[in-house]
Amino acid sequence: MSRSLTAAELPAAPATRGDRTVFALRGVGKTYARRNIEALGRVDLTLDAGTFSSVIGASGCGKSTLLKIMAGLVPPTSGSVMLAGRPVTGPRRDIGMMFQQATLFPWKTTLENIVLPIEIRDGRAAARVHHGNAHALLELVGLKGFEGVYPKELSGGMAQRAAICRMLITEPEVLLLDEPFSALDELTRDFMNMELQRICLQRGATAFLVTHSIPEAVILSDTVYVMSPRPGRIVETVAVDLPRPRTLDMVTTPRFGALVDRIRSHLDKGSFL
Amino acid sequence: MSEVALSAALETENTVWTEQDSWFDRIPRSVAMAALAVVAIGLWQAVSWSGLISPIILPSPGDTLRHLIFVGGNLLSGGYMLQSLWVTLQELVLSFALAVGIGFALGVLVGETAFGERAVMPYLVAVDTMPKVAFAPLFIAWLGFGIESKVALATFIATFPIVVGTAAGLHASDENARMLFKTMGASRWQTLVKMKLPTGMPQFFTGLKIASVGVMAGVITGEFLGGGRGFGELIRVASTNLDTARVFALILYLSLLGLLSFGLVAWAQRRVVFWQSASVAREVG
Ligand SMILES: Nc1ncnc2c1ncn2[C@@H]1O[C@H](COP(=O)(O)OP(=O)(O)OP(=O)(O)O)[C@@H](O)[C@H]1O
Ligand SMILES: [Mg+2]
C-alpha cells in the first residue's frame, strides 16, 4: 500500500462529463405528515447529462424518498426539483424507473410486459408497433427467445433484465434506479451492473442509482453521494475517476480500494452523528 | 439390527429420497374416494337392514337407487321433472348473472372509491351479517310466487361474496405495481383496468365460487317457501308425502347440478387466471 492514493489526495469535486444539467435539486426536504417523520433534510443535487451517480446511505435515511420525489411520485415538503429545465410536478415521460422487485405482470408475456409503458401512453396499436424495439432490447440484455414466455418462468435475474427493457422502451433520458439488483445473487448482480453500464454508455443516458453496496456504487458511478442517517442529507460527494468502460477486475486496483475506504469512512462517521 | 443391514439402510437413506407419507396417505385419490363411498353405503345398508330406523326417516340404499333411476328416467324422457329442473336452472342462471353484475359493481365502488369504502361498506357489512334467508317471506310478499321472488332471494344471498371478493382483489395489488403505473403516467381508469382488476382476479373468482353455492341455497329455499314449479317444489311435495327415498334421489340430482355449476366456475378460473398455479388456486378457492 506504499504508492496507493490516500483519501485526502483524491479529488473531491464531482466529475462532470456532461455539459448540460438534467436534474437540479435545491433544498429538497420531506417530512411525512402521517407520523411526522422527517425523512429527508435539505438535499442539493445536480446531475449532468450522460453521467452516472449513486447515492449510498444507511437504511431508512430517505434514499427511496429522494428518488420518489425526483420521479414526481411524491411531492417534496420543501425545495424545488427541476428536470430538463422544467419543475417536476408529477410523473414525467422522460424518466424511467426501476425498483428492487421486477414487478412484471403475470398475465402478460415478457414482450407484452416490456411494451406496457407504450400501451399505457399511446394505446395497444402503438404498443404493437414497438414490438420490434422490444425484440432489440431483449437481445441487448440477452433475453432473445423469451418474448412469449410468462414471467413465472423467468428467473429473478431474467425478470430484472426484462424490467430493464420495460424501463428503456420509452427511451427515457433519465434512469432512476432504486436498488434494482439487490435481490439478486452476487454473480448475477456483477453481470447486471456491467450490462447497466454498457446500456447507459450506449444510450448516453443519465442514471441515478440507490444502493447499499459501496463497491457497486464505485464501479458504476462518476459521482457517489453519501447520505447521513435520517433525516437524510448529502454529507459527502466523492468523484470516481476510474476510466470508462469500467471492468470487474478494477475492483482489485488500489485506487478502487482507496475510494471504497473513503466512502466507508464517511458512512461510519455519519452513523455516529 | 446387524451392522450390514444398518449400513445398507443408511446407504439407501442417503441415495434415495424416502417418502415420508405413510401407506395411508399414499392411496391413490380415486381408490380412496371409492373405498370411502363403499364403506359409507355399506354402513347405510347395515343400518337399514337392522330395522332400527324407520324407512320414513332413513330409506334403504336400494329404495334410493330405485328412485334415482325413476327420477333420472323422467329427466331424460323430458317428463315433468325436467320442466321443474328447467325452471330451477333458469332461476340459478338469472340470479348468478345478477349477483355477478351487482356484486362486481358494488365491489368496485367499495374497493376503488373512498366514498364506497367509508359510506357504502358499513351498510353492506350490516346487511351481510343478517340471516338473509329470513328475507324470503318479504321477497315472496313483494314479488309473488313466480320465479322473481326466488331469483331475488338467491341474488341477495350471492351478491355479498362477490362484493367482498372484488373489493379484496382491488386491494391485492402491491405498492410497487401501483408506483410503476404512476411512473408510466397511467390514469386511474387504466390503473384499474390494466392492473388492479387483473391482479384481483383470484379473489374475484373465490367470490364467484362462494356465490355459485349461494345461489343454489337461495333458489331452493325460495322454492320451499314460495312454491312455484321448480325442483325445490318437487322435494317439498315428496317430503310432505313422507317419500324420503324420493327426497334423497332429488337432492342427489340437485347436488350434481351444484357440482356442475361450481365446476364451471372453477374451469373459468383456470382459463381466465391462467397464471395462478393450481396449488394456489386450491388455497384461495
Ligand atoms: N409513505 C410513508 N409514510 C410515512 N413514512 C414514510 C413513508 N415512506 C417512508 N417513510 C419513512 O421515511 C424514512 C425514509 O424512508 P426511505 O424508504 O426513503 O428510506 P431508504 O433510505 O430508502 O431506506 P432503505 O435503504 O431501507 O430502502 C423511513 O423512516 C420511513 O419509515
Ligand atoms: Mg429504499
Side-chain angles (χ1 to χ4, degrees):
Chain A
M1 286 295 283
S2 54
R3 265 316 302 150
S4 74
L5 286 165
T6 64
E9 285 176 281
L10 289 165
T16 50
R17 278 195 296 128
D19 49 357
R20 190 164 56 87
T21 298
V22 172
F23 252 118
L25 279 71
R26 295 288 166 262
V28 171
K30 177 75 188 178
T31 303
Y32 283 107
R34 211 185 317 152
R35 285 185 292 135
N36 202 25
I37 288 176
E38 190 182 4
L40 216 52
R42 323 213 133 254
V43 173
D44 293 290
L45 200 63
T46 305
L47 303 184
D48 287 324
T51 57
F52 199 115
S53 315
S54 298
V55 59
I56 196 160
S59 182
C61 74
K63 304 181 294 295
S64 297
T65 302
L66 177 64
L67 221 63
K68 285 181 205 168
I69 290 173
M70 291 167 75
L73 295 173
V74 169
T77 331
S78 64
S80 76
V81 183
M82 302 285 280
L83 169 59
R86 288 188 294 136
V88 172
T89 52
R92 287 264 291 264
R93 288 181 175 188
D94 35 4
I95 291 180
M97 222 178 159
M98 236 179 118
F99 307 104
Q100 192 170 350
Q101 274 82 34
T103 315
L104 300 174
F105 296 103
W107 55 88
K108 286 180 173 296
T109 63
T110 306
L111 189 71
E112 288 165 349
N113 265 291
I114 290 171
V115 296
L116 179 65
I118 306 284
E119 183 186 331
I120 298 282
R121 202 178 70 184
D122 304 320
R124 276 178 198 279
R128 264 194 302 279
V129 172
H130 276 75
H131 277 188
N133 297 353
H135 281 288
L137 283 171
L138 279 167
E139 204 168 344
L140 180 75
V141 300
L143 274 184
K144 196 172 178 333
F146 286 92
E147 291 82 358
V149 166
Y150 285 95
K152 74 173 171 193
E153 293 167 51
L154 300 178
S155 72
M158 288 157 83
Q160 277 300 18
R161 277 183 268 167
I164 293 181
C165 296
R166 180 180 57 197
M167 170 178 73
L168 295 176
I169 192 82
T170 53
E171 309 199 333
E173 280 185 55
V174 189
L175 310 180
L176 299 179
L177 311 157
D178 196 350
E179 306 184 40
F181 307 134
S182 59
L184 305 180
D185 64 274
E186 206 169 324
L187 281 176
T188 316
R189 187 174 174 163
D190 284 342
F191 173 77
M192 298 292 284
N193 280 332
M194 289 303 107
E195 291 280 299
L196 183 61
Q197 169 183 241
R198 187 164 61 85
I199 290 166
C200 286
L201 287 178
Q202 194 175 327
R203 302 186 147 236
T206 311
F208 190 62
L209 171 78
V210 169
T211 177
H212 274 130
S213 157
I214 304 177
E216 181 176 85
V218 173
I219 200 78
L220 284 170
S221 312
D222 303 304
T223 313
V224 178
Y225 298 98
V226 181
M227 268 176 96
S228 67
R230 190 161 58 87
R233 282 173 301 109
I234 289 171
V235 288
E236 184 66 17
T237 304
V238 180
V240 181
D241 48 3
L242 298 167
R244 294 229 181 239
R246 310 266 168 80
T247 52
L248 286 174
D249 49 25
M250 285 182 184
V251 171
T252 54
T253 63
R255 197 172 193 82
F256 186 92
L259 286 160
V260 167
D261 286 346
R262 177 166 167 201
I263 293 167
R264 177 163 292 129
S265 75
H266 281 291
L267 272 176
D268 291 343
K269 232 192 290 168
S271 61
F272 292 112
L273 280 178
Chain B
M1 196 186 273
S2 78
E3 213 162 290
V4 178
L6 186 66
S7 69
L10 283 175
E11 199 163 67
T12 49
E13 211 163 75
N14 285 339
T15 51
V16 183
W17 280 95
T18 47
E19 279 285 341
Q20 294 300 307
D21 294 349
S22 69
W23 64 272
F24 196 70
D25 291 323
R26 273 181 283 147
I27 305 172
R29 182 179 161 159
S30 51
V31 176
M33 284 178 73
L36 204 58
V38 167
V39 170
I41 293 171
L43 274 176
W44 180 10
Q45 184 69 65
V47 170
S48 61
W49 269 334
S50 74
L52 286 173
I53 300 176
S54 146
I56 292 175
I57 293 169
L58 185 73
S60 72
D63 264 350
T64 308
L65 185 65
R66 263 192 301 286
H67 279 276
L68 268 178
I69 293 168
F70 176 79
V71 174
N74 193 305
L75 287 173
L76 285 177
S77 62
Y80 69 98
M81 289 184 182
L82 187 69
Q83 280 162 20
S84 293
L85 189 65
W86 174 235
V87 171
T88 301
L89 194 64
Q90 279 177 304
E91 291 164 354
L92 285 173
V93 171
L94 260 175
S95 49
F96 189 69
L98 279 171
V100 171
I102 300 170
F104 181 76
L106 280 176
V108 171
L109 182 71
V110 164
E112 179 67 10
T113 68
F115 168 79
E117 188 168 3
R118 294 205 195 116
V120 182
M121 194 60 188
Y123 289 107
L124 287 178
V125 171
V127 179
D128 194 26
T129 52
M130 298 176 188
K132 286 178 274 305
V133 176
F135 283 74
L138 284 178
F139 286 124
I140 293 162
W142 292 335
L143 299 167
F145 293 96
I147 83 167
E148 292 86 351
S149 53
K150 286 91 184 172
V151 170
L153 180 64
T155 307
F156 187 51
I157 289 175
T159 298
F160 293 96
I162 301 180
V163 176
V164 172
T166 308
L170 289 177
H171 287 296
S173 61
D174 69 350
E175 170 77 14
N176 276 308
R178 286 195 295 268
M179 226 149 51
L180 185 70
F181 262 68
K182 258 186 164 180
T183 61
M184 294 191 295
S187 66
R188 184 172 179 177
W189 173 253
Q190 284 177 318
T191 308
L192 178 66
V193 170
K194 289 184 192 287
M195 195 267 286
K196 287 187 175 180
L197 284 177
T199 303
M201 274 298 131
Q203 288 83 349
F204 174 68
F205 269 99
T206 303
L208 286 193
K209 281 181 182 167
I210 300 171
S212 78
V213 178
V215 285
M216 180 65 87
V219 160
I220 298 302
T221 310
E223 287 176 348
F224 280 165
L225 300 173
R229 293 180 293 117
F231 223 66
E233 174 68 6
L234 293 184
I235 295 176
R236 196 188 62 77
V237 169
S239 82
T240 346
N241 295 340
L242 302 183
D243 198 352
T244 316
R246 172 65 62 85
V247 174
F248 270 42
L250 290 168
I251 290 177
L252 266 167
Y253 280 104
L254 213 48
S255 53
L256 282 185
L257 191 61
L259 269 179
L260 183 74
S261 65
F262 189 86
L264 272 176
V265 177
W267 173 82
Q269 176 170 23
R270 275 197 303 279
R271 295 301 300 273
V272 174
V273 199
F274 61 88
W275 61 89
Q276 192 183 16
S277 67
S279 62
V280 178
R282 233 175 284 134
E283 239 170 64
V284 175

